[in-house]
Amino acid sequence: MITSPALSQAAAARQWFLAREDLGALVEAIRGTGRRVIGPTVREGAIVYDEIQTAADLPAGWRDVQSAGSYRLERASDERAFGYTVGPTSWKRFTFPPNLPIAKAHKATFGFEQPAPSVPPVAFLGVRACEIAALAIQDRVFLGGQFTDDDFRARRSAAFIVAVQCTTSSSTCFCTSMATGPEVRGGYDILLTEIDGGFVVQAGSPGGAAIVAKLPTRRPSHAEAGAAVDNVESVRTQMGEPLPMAGIGDRLKLQLDNLRWAQVAERCVECGNCTMSCPTCFCTSVIEQSDMDGKSSTTERQWDSCFDVAFAKVAGGDFRARPRDRYRQWLTHKFSTWWDQFGSSGCVGCGRCITWCPVRIDVREELAAIAPPIAPVEHPMAVEPVAASPGTYSIARLASVRPETEDTTTLSLTDLDPAFLEGRPGQFVMIALPAFPAVPISISRFRANAIDLTIRAVGQTSTALVNLHPGAKVGLRGPLGTFWPIQEAYGRHAVVVAGGVGLSPLHGLVDALVANHDRFESVSLFYGSRTPEDQLFRDDLAAWTASKAIDVVVTVDRAGPEWKGRVGVVTNLFDMISWDCTKVTAFVVGPERMMQASVQGLISKGVPTDRIHVSMERHMECGIGLCGHCQMAGRFVCEDGPVFRLNDLGDMFNREGI
Amino acid sequence: MHARAMDDYAAVIAMLNHTWFGAELSPETQERLARLGEIQDFEADEVILHEGDAAKEMGILISGRLALRTLVPERGPVTILSVEPGDIFGWSAVLADTQAQSTVVATESSQALVIEGIQLRAALKEDHALAASLYPRVLKAVARRLRATRLQLLDLFAR
Amino acid sequence: MATSGRTARPRVAVAKFASCDGCQLTILDLEDQLLEIVSRFDIVEFPEATSRRSPGPYDIVFVEGSISAPEHIDQIKELRKQARVLVTIGACATAGGIQALRNWADHDAYRAAIYAHPEWIESLATATPVSEHVKVDAELRGCPIDPGQLLELLTAVLVGRRPQIRDEAVCRECKRKGIVCLVVAGGQACMGPVTTSGCNALCPTYDRGCFGCFGPRAGANAKSWSAELLKSGRPPEEVWGLFAGFTGYAEPFRSVITELGKSKG
């Protein structure tokens, strides 16, 4: 978390008056400390945030008129420098740039360079209460989890905050509903409140106090101090009754099947402008740019949007295929599942998503229509910052390549960072090649000095990986994600249900079950695949069967006459379970439809839902909870999963469009 | 095929009791079926019923494995389901004038209780207690197969 | 993966049908990379650049222009047979282009209005994208194409991966560049929300609404956008023109135009 050093209460409460004509002294004083000043300025018919050289660059005498889908500048009747609300730019442009080179790969040396961020000191001038709240949300998203974003940390730490109290509001503003404003309550170095003739100034940090000391200030009169308070209070009155937001998170969760999602999706053009304008939306994708000589490539991170049609796509299909799924994802994330992930709302009430929506969708109207008020529910607000652990690449060497089926291949990797060997069955790695974007692959087997990755060649990176020859190098990050809670099956019947390539993330678990088989009441593997040719790990299946430590039952959906084994869907196999199913702990992986059928079959046999563990597949770009692609309701599949306890997923399991 | 006369109905009933299909039938039905049918042994690769032939008998598999195959032009025979011990085959014989829906082949040496369709239908017509006990069981077996077929139709492993 | 040495350079041909040659010029405009390109690709057919001719087969064929004349149909089929990879370039080849405006008009009347001797002109009643006639492996959109996307495609061929050509709204590029929305703040007409990216928001950068020359993006909600343009007070003729301009023959723009045409009468 980024917090300024504390200032004594008395110092923080001290106020000065700065005349309007002396505002330039503030800009100069800040620039004098070697900081660039970013602040509001008029450009392209709007007040945007850009570099400020002098106070003359500020939008004195301009006001904005905003409504859904419309923004216009007008001359104001006074010369206030900050007599507008918030414009198209949000500060995330400077804390979380829209395009950021994050790595460079060199083919000759097989080096993955992830440059340490170097950010010159900067000052944000004119930060509003809702925007300070947005910065605090970004802090929780980028710095509050297990993995942190070093570039954000550097940019955030480099920023000196000059906050400005709002003395007016737009029709799109709803900070009072989100409890983020209108008053600035902290998180600044200097705070300005504009009144007739000048500003009431307060310092919020020793750095801020040092700047204020250089300004030609005097103590404000009682009238001036009073006007400052009244001006901010008038904004609250202007905005009217706050929206009934109590319990909105739970209210939305009850409305996932509301018909309104489809109606709003008919209007929504999925341009993504709401997400781009939003000061807290943080989804990104990476693109690879290769030099034509093939010697080096650059990985650039770009702002992306969950409204993108390919955002939740994996090789097997699209988890949010319909526009209504994507609109629901965005709105429920902002107002509901953000609480589950980050302990706060994802919305600060700045209203940018309303103003900058070209088809004039007003999120306040949608919330009121979809999730009208019910009795409020208290939310815990406890997010402990965790130490940073950057997701940096290490290089591994390809020891062997074994074809499993027509399109699936197992790679054995060696010369590993020891962390990988200490990984647990169920975890995955992000694997990359120079010029090819990283993809998530689960670890199928842990060997003495190697790990196996079993890869289906479906995309560009996976195809390139399976075409490598022994000796080739690959870049790895990880091991990542949750693992199979094997101890939960101690003393019980351990049942592994695998479908198709789903046996891959279960292979390591089966190895562990076999090695410790006497700790379980029984151990069985039910493995279904489409045809006998689609079976993975045929040698291992035979070895497991021979070991007598596990009961291996395989079936295929269809087969030619030469196949003498079972034919039929994998759920048919549950009929042979003769033991007490309340004593079963099940581990299930396969294509989502197969998992759904299997889980239903297990539940109908009496297996408790807290004893069923599944591994989910989602699109991932980063693997460390920062890119937003793998979000599944209130969880990131990369960090909170991929292994989930079924009842932790609740009704999100197999729900359409999540 | 090798058929054995079974005077020892008690032994057949005991076998039935070990099957998924037979275990929940009433004792009267179990005895009736034991008397109606005969225990038959099949060798590996032996064809028990041909697709399209009159559905002349229904069987309850006691041990071994049978494959239900259908002929797909240009692809040859495709196994669409295996019958595991406890399950039934040739259930169409419960209905008059029907044809076998698939070819039934033993994939390993197997043993089944086989009942002539004509006799079974006659018994069901005249013995309402038998009908009341057997029909729901057949229906359950068919429903189970329908459910599995539906899952297969969904192609769970589709890409 | 990548080809090695001069001998293994991929054989490249550039072909054209009904078009203005602007996309071919984009290739020649890659001045800084041209030497690099010719050292890595063997460009054997390129009417805009050289009179040298060379028969197929080719590794890559870039096709510019729409299928507009009777002989084009056989020519493109033959070209397809000669091409390992066929890439269409530009709005004409990918969507029919401006010529496709005639698909909604009286062909004979157009011909008579433009040419002194219409009887000398043999042309089809419709101008259609190449993909209506043969299988297309990749598309580069735009009028003209974007040099950056072209370079990415060439580089990807050398590296041995799929080109990273995103399909997102032009709005995304505006937002990343920090361009203030011309629709919301300026009241301009703009096709950005329904048009696929790739131009790096070229027109909005110069304060002009997007003309839609890159064509509809996947899942473009053209219906909602045309309704919004009408609701904001624009006459149906203007909205018709916005959608029809460069890529109107591509769905879902085509349906919007047909619908507007009905109401226009």
Side-chain angles (χ1 to χ4, degrees):
Chain A
M1 296 283 156
I2 305 293
T3 48
S4 303
L7 207 62
S8 77
Q9 227 176 347
R14 195 167 301 157
Q15 297 185 336
W16 287 269
F17 178 81
L18 180 72
R20 177 161 297 117
E21 55 271 26
D22 292 329
L23 187 57
L26 175 65
V27 177
E28 276 163 41
I30 297 170
R31 284 166 60 90
T33 59
R35 291 181 185 275
R36 285 166 63 221
V37 176
I38 312 289
T41 193
V42 174
R43 198 188 74 205
E44 299 167 34
I47 296 168
V48 301
Y49 298 151
D50 208 339
E51 181 150 9
I52 298 295
Q53 308 291 341
T54 71
D57 294 336
L58 297 171
W62 287 101
R63 57 185 290 252
D64 50 359
V65 181
Q66 302 190 38
S67 60
S70 172
Y71 180 102
R72 295 288 185 278
L73 281 188
E74 284 178 359
R75 289 308 304 193
S77 53
D78 56 40
E79 278 303 306
R80 288 189 186 197
F82 302 101
Y84 59 90
T85 59
V86 291
T89 330
S90 83
W91 295 103
K92 81 174 177 186
R93 170 164 289 276
F94 306 97
T95 54
F96 170 62
N99 298 77
L100 181 74
I102 53 170
K104 208 169 166 64
H106 302 281
K107 210 173 170 188
T109 57
F110 216 90
F112 285 93
E113 283 171 22
Q114 291 169 280
S118 122
V119 182
V122 68
F124 296 164
L125 171 60
V127 184
R128 305 305 177 104
C130 61
E131 299 181 314
I132 286 175
L135 289 171
I137 288 175
Q138 283 196 310
D139 289 347
R140 285 193 284 270
V141 169
F142 291 126
L143 306 176
Q146 188 190 353
F147 297 104
T148 59
D149 183 330
D150 292 340
D151 186 81
F152 173 83
R153 185 195 306 277
R155 286 175 198 278
R156 184 79 166 87
S157 309
F160 181 90
I161 306 285
V162 181
V164 168
Q165 297 281 19
C166 283
T167 52
T168 185
S169 71
S170 291
S171 76
T172 46
C173 289
F174 60 110
C175 63
T176 53
S177 306
M178 303 314 297
T180 58
E183 306 86 3
V184 174
R185 298 189 196 92
Y188 56 85
D189 295 289
I190 294 177
L191 172 63
L192 306 178
T193 309
E194 195 158 23
I195 56 173
D196 291 340
F199 306 90
V200 171
V201 182
Q202 283 165 274
S205 70
I211 296 283
V212 172
K214 292 181 191 163
L215 303 179
T217 55
R218 60 170 169 78
R219 302 307 299 270
S221 66
H222 275 293
E224 286 163 344
V229 174
D230 290 348
N231 282 359
V232 181
E233 198 47 44
S234 73
V235 176
R236 184 180 291 282
T237 322
Q238 227 179 51
M239 269 191 273
E241 216 30 48
L243 303 170
M245 298 304 286
I248 187 67
D250 290 325
R251 277 148 56 188
L252 278 168
K253 285 196 178 85
L254 297 172
Q255 297 298 334
L256 295 179
D257 298 319
N258 196 303
L259 296 176
R260 179 89 178 198
W261 299 115
Q263 291 161 7
V264 65
E266 273 181 28
R267 289 169 64 201
C268 175
V269 287
E270 298 198 283
C271 58
N273 287 352
C274 46
T275 58
M276 300 277 121
S277 313
C278 176
T280 69
C281 271
F282 60 88
C283 289
T284 54
S285 286
V286 292
I287 55 162
E288 292 287 321
Q289 286 160 327
S290 315
D291 294 349
M292 201 165 236
D293 59 14
K295 284 179 185 147
S296 60
S297 62
T298 307
T299 308
E300 187 183 274
R301 188 185 77 183
Q302 287 188 344
W303 283 358
D304 201 349
S305 170
C306 54
F307 281 100
D308 199 285
V309 282
F311 193 80
K313 238 181 191 157
V314 296
D318 190 346
F319 288 103
R320 290 192 288 273
R322 301 169 303 179
R324 72 178 79 163
D325 302 330
R326 299 189 282 267
Y327 190 87
R328 185 179 68 182
Q329 157 66 21
W330 177 70
L331 195 86
T332 55
H333 191 208
K334 282 283 133 178
F335 291 92
S336 177
T337 53
W338 204 289
W339 282 100
D340 307 332
Q341 291 181 297
F342 306 113
S344 78
S345 171
C347 173
V348 296
C350 71
R352 284 185 178 87
C353 59
I354 304 169
T355 299
W356 300 98
C357 175
V359 291
R360 295 179 282 171
I361 295 170
D362 188 331
V363 73
R364 295 169 297 188
E365 285 171 14
E366 297 310 313
L367 283 173
I370 291 165
I374 50 171
V377 177
E378 289 286 311
H379 283 282
M381 175 130 179
V383 174
E384 283 297 314
V386 181
S389 161
T392 48
Y393 282 102
S394 68
I395 309 299
R397 192 172 52 82
L398 183 54
S400 69
V401 180
R402 288 188 308 283
E404 297 284 350
T405 68
E406 200 178 330
D407 63 356
T408 305
T409 303
T410 295
L411 307 183
S412 259
L413 301 176
T414 188
D415 294 349
L416 294 161
D417 182 307
F420 291 99
L421 298 171
E422 283 159 26
R424 307 279 290 275
Q427 288 191 297
F428 68 99
V429 300
M430 295 297 291
I431 179 167
L433 291 171
F436 291 85
V439 289
I441 304 285
S442 51
I443 301 171
S444 56
R445 193 166 178 185
F446 294 88
R447 298 173 185 272
N449 284 305
I451 56 170
D452 285 4
L453 304 180
T454 301
I455 299 172
R456 192 151 61 91
V458 282
Q460 48 179 339
T461 307
S462 53
T463 306
L465 285 168
V466 301
N467 288 325
L468 294 174
H469 296 291
K473 292 183 208 167
V474 297
L476 287 184
R477 291 194 282 115
L480 299 164
T482 54
F483 44 84
W484 298 111
I486 186 168
Q487 68 289 347
E488 294 205 12
Y490 285 172
R492 301 171 59 84
H493 300 283
V495 173
V496 178
V497 184
V501 290
L503 186 54
S504 169
L506 289 164
H507 189 300
L509 171 73
V510 173
D511 287 336
L513 292 171
V514 167
N516 301 291
H517 64 98
D518 47 358
R519 301 189 122 167
F520 309 99
E521 190 66 32
S522 74
V523 180
S524 8
L525 166 64
F526 297 126
Y527 180 34
S529 57
R530 186 190 261 173
T531 68
E533 293 74 36
D534 290 317
Q535 279 180 357
L536 301 182
F537 312 123
R538 268 169 266 184
D539 295 346
D540 298 320
L541 287 168
W544 289 331
T545 307
S547 77
K548 307 266 183 223
I550 180 169
D551 198 6
V552 178
V553 189
V554 298
T555 186
V556 297
D557 266 15
R558 66 195 72 124
E562 64 291 343
W563 173 256
K564 304 293 180 203
R566 287 170 176 270
V567 180
V569 289
V570 67
T571 51
N572 280 2
L573 303 181
F574 301 153
D575 292 332
M576 17 176 324
I577 298 179
S578 55
W579 52 72
D580 177 3
C581 279
T582 62
K583 297 205 164 55
V584 164
T585 295
F587 306 96
V588 186
V589 190
E592 207 145 311
R593 281 179 283 187
M594 170 270 169
M595 280 206 281
Q596 194 266 343
S598 303
V599 161
Q600 234 172 36
L602 289 168
I603 293 173
S604 70
K605 292 287 287 186
V607 181
T609 56
D610 62 344
R611 297 291 190 168
I612 299 176
H613 303 272
V614 294
S615 180
M616 307 300 290
E617 185 195 13
R618 286 292 185 277
H619 183 130
M620 293 177 193
E621 298 257 331
C622 77
I624 52 175
L626 298 174
C627 78
H629 279 266
C630 71
Q631 198 188 359
M632 188 179 161
R635 291 168 185 84
F636 288 133
V637 170
C638 65
E639 262 197 312
D640 304 318
V643 174
F644 290 97
R645 190 189 301 277
L646 183 70
N647 62 348
D648 287 346
L649 287 173
D651 61 355
M652 295 305 121
F653 181 71
N654 198 51
R655 184 185 273 274
E656 187 176 8
I658 292 286
Chain B
M1 191 247 290
H2 170 70
R4 279 179 299 188
M6 264 284 195
D7 292 333
D8 187 358
Y9 299 121
V12 180
I13 290 165
M15 283 178 177
L16 267 180
N17 253 323
H18 277 100
T19 65
W20 170 85
F21 181 83
E24 285 174 28
L25 295 171
S26 67
E28 296 77 20
T29 306
Q30 285 177 346
E31 188 177 339
R32 192 78 206 267
L33 290 179
R35 285 176 189 278
L36 273 170
E38 63 175 8
I39 295 290
Q40 294 183 3
D41 291 307
F42 305 102
E43 291 164 25
D45 297 327
E46 185 174 341
V47 176
I48 299 164
L49 266 173
H50 274 286
E51 187 175 356
D53 285 359
K56 60 181 193 301
E57 57 196 25
M58 184 185 98
I60 303 161
L61 187 66
I62 293 176
S63 68
R65 174 173 296 148
L66 313 179
L68 305 187
R69 287 184 187 157
T70 189
L71 197 67
V72 183
E74 291 174 35
R75 267 171 60 193
V78 173
T79 304
I80 46 171
L81 189 72
S82 62
V83 178
E84 305 295 326
D87 205 352
I88 57 173
F89 59 94
W91 63 267
S92 307
V94 173
L95 310 171
D97 303 323
T98 55
Q99 295 166 332
Q101 299 298 303
S102 51
T103 298
V104 183
V105 187
T107 45
E108 55 191 68
S109 60
S110 305
Q111 192 175 60
L113 176 67
V114 178
I115 306 158
E116 283 288 331
I118 295 170
Q119 291 184 37
L120 181 62
R121 289 196 294 273
L124 284 166
K125 205 165 185 179
E126 130 251 313
D127 182 349
H128 291 189
L130 174 71
S133 168
L134 195 68
Y135 275 132
R137 206 66 201 139
V138 172
L139 191 60
K140 194 164 177 180
V142 173
R144 180 169 164 272
R145 215 164 272 186
L146 177 65
R147 206 161 47 235
T149 306
R150 210 176 273 165
L151 288 174
Q152 259 170 325
L153 198 65
L154 281 174
D155 198 0
L156 297 178
F157 305 106
R159 299 176 172 159
Chain C
M1 295 217 300
T3 52
S4 56
R6 287 187 68 90
T7 51
R9 287 185 305 163
R11 298 187 83 228
V12 175
V14 181
K16 72 158 266 158
F17 292 93
S19 62
C20 74
D21 291 21
C23 294
Q24 293 188 59
L25 284 174
T26 304
I27 303 177
L28 295 173
D29 280 345
L30 290 171
E31 288 167 2
D32 295 340
Q33 291 86 13
L34 260 190
L35 285 178
E36 184 82 39
I37 291 171
V38 294
S39 75
R40 295 182 184 278
F41 294 92
D42 189 8
I43 302 176
V44 295
E45 274 272 302
F46 194 171
E48 185 71 25
T50 170
S51 51
R52 188 172 66 134
R53 312 307 303 265
S54 181
Y58 313 105
D59 291 310
I60 309 172
V61 176
F62 289 101
V63 180
E64 182 196 78
S66 67
I67 303 304
S68 301
E71 68 272 19
H72 287 169
I73 296 172
D74 287 338
Q75 285 168 355
I76 188 65
K77 286 184 176 152
E78 181 52 31
L79 211 47
R80 174 70 260 190
K81 281 186 205 152
Q82 299 295 329
R84 194 166 61 82
V85 173
L86 189 141
V87 183
T88 48
I89 57 173
C92 304
T94 58
I98 295 176
Q99 308 91 290
L101 283 173
R102 74 162 176 250
N103 300 356
W104 289 278
D106 181 340
H107 177 232
D108 290 329
Y110 259 42
R111 191 154 49 173
I114 293 163
Y115 296 102
H117 289 280
E119 69 277 11
W120 294 354
I121 304 297
E122 260 198 63
S123 71
L124 295 169
T126 55
T128 45
V130 170
S131 60
E132 276 201 12
H133 304 274
V134 296
K135 178 176 167 279
V136 170
D137 301 303
E139 283 185 344
L140 292 179
R141 307 271 202 95
C143 181
I145 54 168
D146 175 72
Q149 287 200 337
L150 175 63
L151 264 185
E152 165 59 16
L153 185 125
L154 292 171
T155 309
V157 167
L158 292 173
V159 174
R161 61 163 164 80
R162 202 164 38 199
Q164 297 204 331
I165 291 174
R166 297 193 62 164
D167 184 7
E168 54 179 14
V170 173
C171 301
R172 266 345 134 63
E173 296 184 321
C174 270
K175 291 294 176 286
R176 290 193 202 108
K177 282 179 92 171
I179 296 168
V180 177
C181 182
L182 299 168
V183 176
V184 170
Q188 287 201 42
C190 179
M191 290 290 282
V194 287
T195 302
T196 195
S197 60
C199 60
N200 208 14
L202 187 62
C203 293
T205 304
Y206 295 98
D207 199 27
R208 299 291 299 268
C210 167
F211 290 95
C213 77
F214 270 62
R217 65 187 174 90
N221 192 345
K223 205 171 151 190
S224 171
W225 189 233
S226 63
E228 181 61 35
L229 288 166
L230 291 170
K231 224 186 311 174
S232 64
R234 291 173 202 288
E237 301 81 53
E238 187 190 340
V239 178
W240 191 94
L242 275 166
F243 278 88
F246 290 81
T247 53
Y249 195 61
E251 287 291 4
F253 289 2
R254 198 200 300 189
S255 300
V256 166
I257 295 165
T258 309
E259 202 55 38
L260 284 168
K262 270 187 221 150
S263 63
K264 202 170 57 153

